[in-house]
Amino acid sequence: MTEFLTTVFNLIQGILGVAPTTLALALPWMDIFWAFVYFVGAVILLIINVIMLIWIERRAAGFFQERVGPNRVGPFGLLQTVNDTIKLLGKEWIMPASADRMVFLIAPLLVVTVAVTMYGLLPYGPGITPVTLNVGILFFLAVSSTNTIAVLMAGWGSNNKYSLLGGMRTVAQIISYEIPMALSIIGIVMLSGSLDLGEIARSQSHVWYVFIQPVAFVIFTISALAELTKSPFDMTEAEQEFVAGYHTEYSGIRFTLFFMGEYANLFSMAALGVVLFFGGASGPWLPPWMWFIGKTYVFILFLLWIRWTFLRIRVDKMMKFNWKFLIPVALANLLVTGVGIKLWQHFVERSI
Amino acid sequence: MLGVIFFYFFAALAVVAAVAMVVTRNLVHAALFMAGTFLLIAFLYILMGADYVGAVQILVYVGAISILFVFGIMLTKRDRIEDSNRFNRYGVAATIVAVLLFAGIVLAVLGAAFRTVPSDASTSTIQTIANLFLNEYVLAFEFAGILLLAALVGAIVIGQTHLGKARAKPRAPGAGIEGGKA
């Protein structure tokens, strides 16, 4: 099975590598061709991922809550998501009469655009990083923060007080939790000496950063859950408070796009965690990209475990927890890391 | 070649978005157009090989736009949001100022002696920036940090005193008619 997949991958790579030269395309067109190939690849990966993730989440939720979960459609209920998607696509598109038309319509597209862009930055393995950037991690955070605008647009465009409140709360939450996340990542950047995601993954060939930076890992996991607006931080979808938050008014394929964006972000955030703390695509025997996907899915299961175990916390306590606990701890961790690196350089590296 | 096409494409879009931001009557739409302008300018930076500046542009301004959006919604006290941007009614004055500013910029650009630097996209820009920040411009860098810290502390103090006053003087029933007694 493994060898078969590797062969198929090599074959595709070979065909794609040869095709443009045999067609004698000019250089700029080749760039466009490759951009298109990566784009299609990212979209396919996104759709497969979302379908798998929804199934995994529902089965995992069943497991954690001691019930069965969807197991009727196809083997192990694998086709449940496909069925649900077809059902969602067949539903009527409803737009509130007083909605802000363009803003309402663009918001779901923007969510998916952001998700696809983030897929393009991840190092899936040596040679299969779609876009290698010097400032990869910074660009990743920048792109993921544009999600807040899409959420606000959806909340505002719906012209519904529940949607707007949900959108505003999401923005407050995401912007606040971006700070401890960035601070926890700075420690990793200091250790690896690079902002390039591939380089950070490669610099962990001896020891994974999760063992050197355990505090940063805990902070990263908590703020990742908050960034993804997953329970215990799912303020945006607190049903008792405001129906379904910013996507209350969306139906049919537009709701599907929001749903897709949410799960796509779950994957890319977990993949970022794997790159930062678990050595990225490195591992024995199997091809690197399989290690990458495998580690990412294990990390996703870990996040889901937290999600389905803890209860939602109150919104003011969530903010207090961030500003009065998480950020000071992250800053202290940063200080310790900096001093530690200097001491290491001074005493250990010089004596070797 | 491709870079040039993309440059003109993004530049034209950025100008369109900037004009739309000024012209639109809806404050929320104006904020969104502003976000679009900033994003397109970030694309231009990345196109020029300044990927660090581009990433920071997105990181800083997009967060700022979200905040601006929220304030735009919260501070607008007009009933109709479609008519909330009241500052685009002064067409003549705005045109004069814009033309003067544009003429000034054109004069400055034409008069400036630009150096042609060979593009060196392969090397990392971050290390250079970090070295400049922590060696040559370390004083300015630290001052900017202290300034921001002072602003942060000041904002917290102002917020707290308002809270303290509200708590120190609970409005007892009948407290509002003191003036009436006199």
Side-chain angles (χ1 to χ4, degrees):
Chain A
M1 186 64 187
T2 318
E3 280 179 18
F4 169 71
L5 281 173
T6 323
T7 325
V8 168
F9 186 76
N10 285 339
L11 199 70
I12 294 170
Q13 211 174 20
I15 291 169
L16 293 180
V18 170
T21 45
T22 48
L23 292 171
L25 294 169
L27 200 65
W29 295 109
M30 220 155 105
D31 285 346
I32 292 182
F33 175 81
W34 274 110
F36 186 71
V37 167
Y38 281 134
F39 175 74
V40 171
V43 171
I44 290 172
L45 181 70
L46 189 141
I47 290 171
I48 294 174
N49 253 321
V50 167
I51 287 177
M52 282 306 291
L53 278 175
I54 294 174
W55 177 75
I56 287 175
E57 163 130 42
R58 295 183 63 183
R59 289 302 298 230
F63 176 72
F64 292 130
Q65 297 177 343
E66 292 195 74
R67 54 187 175 85
V68 183
N71 68 343
R72 293 290 149 149
V73 193
F76 308 108
L78 264 170
L79 296 177
Q80 180 72 47
T81 319
V82 180
N83 265 9
D84 286 350
T85 315
I86 294 168
K87 181 201 78 175
L88 272 172
L89 294 185
K91 281 195 172 182
E92 192 186 351
W93 301 356
I94 300 167
M95 182 157 67
S98 59
D100 197 335
R101 257 189 94 80
M102 284 313 282
V103 177
F104 184 83
L105 294 180
I106 291 172
L109 302 179
L110 205 60
V111 168
V112 176
T113 313
V114 169
V116 173
T117 315
M118 273 151 79
Y119 274 48
L121 295 166
L122 295 169
Y124 299 98
I128 33 179
T129 311
V131 183
T132 316
L133 276 178
N134 268 330
V135 291
I137 182 85
L138 207 62
F139 197 71
F140 190 94
L141 291 177
V143 171
S144 78
S145 74
T146 48
N147 226 344
T148 54
I149 287 200
V151 168
L152 254 182
M153 281 169 74
W156 172 258
S158 304
N159 209 347
N160 169 335
K161 59 188 164 198
Y162 297 116
S163 297
L164 185 58
L165 282 173
M168 301 259 262
R169 212 184 249 195
T170 313
V171 170
Q173 176 177 339
I174 292 181
I175 285 179
S176 306
Y177 275 88
E178 251 168 26
I179 301 167
M181 173 174 267
L183 287 175
S184 74
I185 291 172
I186 289 175
I188 306 286
V189 171
M190 280 155 74
L191 282 169
S192 68
S194 174
L195 287 166
D196 181 354
L197 285 169
E199 192 59 45
I200 291 173
R202 274 192 297 278
S203 68
Q204 300 174 57
S205 51
H206 296 298
V207 58
W208 289 354
Y209 285 145
V210 67
F211 299 118
I212 309 178
Q213 289 273 306
V215 180
F217 175 68
V218 173
I219 295 168
F220 178 85
T221 310
I222 293 171
S223 35
L225 277 169
E227 290 278 289
L228 295 165
T229 62
K230 290 274 178 207
S231 174
F233 304 105
D234 57 344
M235 298 307 144
T236 54
E237 288 156 45
E239 296 90 348
Q240 299 89 338
E241 290 164 42
F242 25 68
V243 198
Y246 58 89
H247 53 59
T248 306
E249 295 288 359
Y250 284 86
S251 65
I253 189 162
R254 295 185 194 125
F255 171 73
T256 317
L257 290 178
F258 273 115
F259 210 53
M260 267 173 69
E262 198 176 300
Y263 280 93
N265 287 341
L266 176 63
F267 178 84
S268 44
M269 198 56 90
L272 180 68
V274 166
V275 169
L276 291 174
F277 294 100
F278 297 103
S282 66
W285 308 308
L286 294 175
W289 61 272
M290 285 188 79
W291 270 108
F292 187 79
I293 302 284
K295 282 177 186 175
T296 307
Y297 269 76
V298 171
F299 193 50
I300 288 171
L301 276 177
F302 177 65
L303 291 179
L304 291 182
W305 184 19
I306 299 174
R307 178 187 175 175
W308 289 101
T309 307
F310 289 101
L311 299 172
R312 181 187 303 142
I313 63 172
R314 225 169 61 197
V315 62
D316 59 327
K317 287 196 175 172
M318 179 191 76
M319 291 307 234
K320 245 179 217 161
F321 176 68
N322 177 40
W323 290 100
K324 294 191 177 170
F325 180 73
L326 222 48
I327 291 178
V329 169
L331 282 170
N333 179 52
L334 206 57
L335 182 71
V336 171
T337 309
V339 173
I341 290 173
K342 268 291 158 210
L343 288 177
W344 176 272
Q345 282 172 351
H346 193 74
F347 291 110
V348 184
E349 277 186 2
R350 207 175 51 174
S351 59
I352 293 171
Chain B
M1 180 57 205
L2 202 61
V4 175
I5 297 172
F6 274 122
F7 172 80
Y8 280 112
F9 180 67
F10 288 137
L13 276 182
V15 170
V16 169
V19 170
M21 175 187 94
V22 180
V23 170
T24 181
R25 284 276 162 89
N26 189 328
L27 207 59
V28 172
H29 289 181
L32 289 174
F33 277 123
M34 197 170 169
T37 316
F38 283 147
L39 265 179
L40 289 160
I41 288 172
F43 293 161
L44 292 184
Y45 286 145
I46 294 167
L47 217 55
M48 282 188 262
D51 42 10
Y52 176 77
V53 183
V56 168
Q57 167 97 359
I58 298 176
L59 196 64
V60 172
Y61 283 108
V62 167
I65 287 290
S66 308
I67 301 287
L68 193 71
F69 196 132
V70 172
F71 276 118
I73 294 168
M74 289 197 299
L75 299 179
T76 308
K77 288 208 173 147
R78 295 170 69 80
D79 295 336
R80 289 167 51 78
I81 194 78
E82 287 83 13
D83 200 22
S84 51
N85 190 3
R86 302 176 71 195
F87 298 104
N88 54 8
R89 304 263 166 85
Y90 308 104
V92 180
T95 313
I96 293 169
V97 171
V99 166
L100 281 178
L101 185 66
F102 186 72
I105 291 172
V106 166
L107 279 178
V109 168
L110 287 180
F114 284 109
R115 278 186 302 159
T116 318
V117 180
S119 75
D120 200 3
S122 59
T123 55
S124 163
T125 52
I126 321 154
Q127 264 130 15
T128 328
I129 292 172
N131 277 333
L132 282 176
F133 263 154
L134 295 177
N135 290 319
E136 207 175 329
Y137 299 108
V138 65
L139 214 60
F141 181 64
E142 292 294 331
F143 272 136
I146 290 169
L147 192 69
L148 286 174
L149 183 70
L152 189 71
V153 172
I156 291 171
V157 167
I158 290 169
Q160 265 188 341
T161 46
H162 276 289
L163 207 69
K165 268 178 197 164
R167 277 193 190 147
K169 284 185 196 166
R171 292 180 74 81
I177 48 167
E178 281 165 330
K181 274 182 196 170

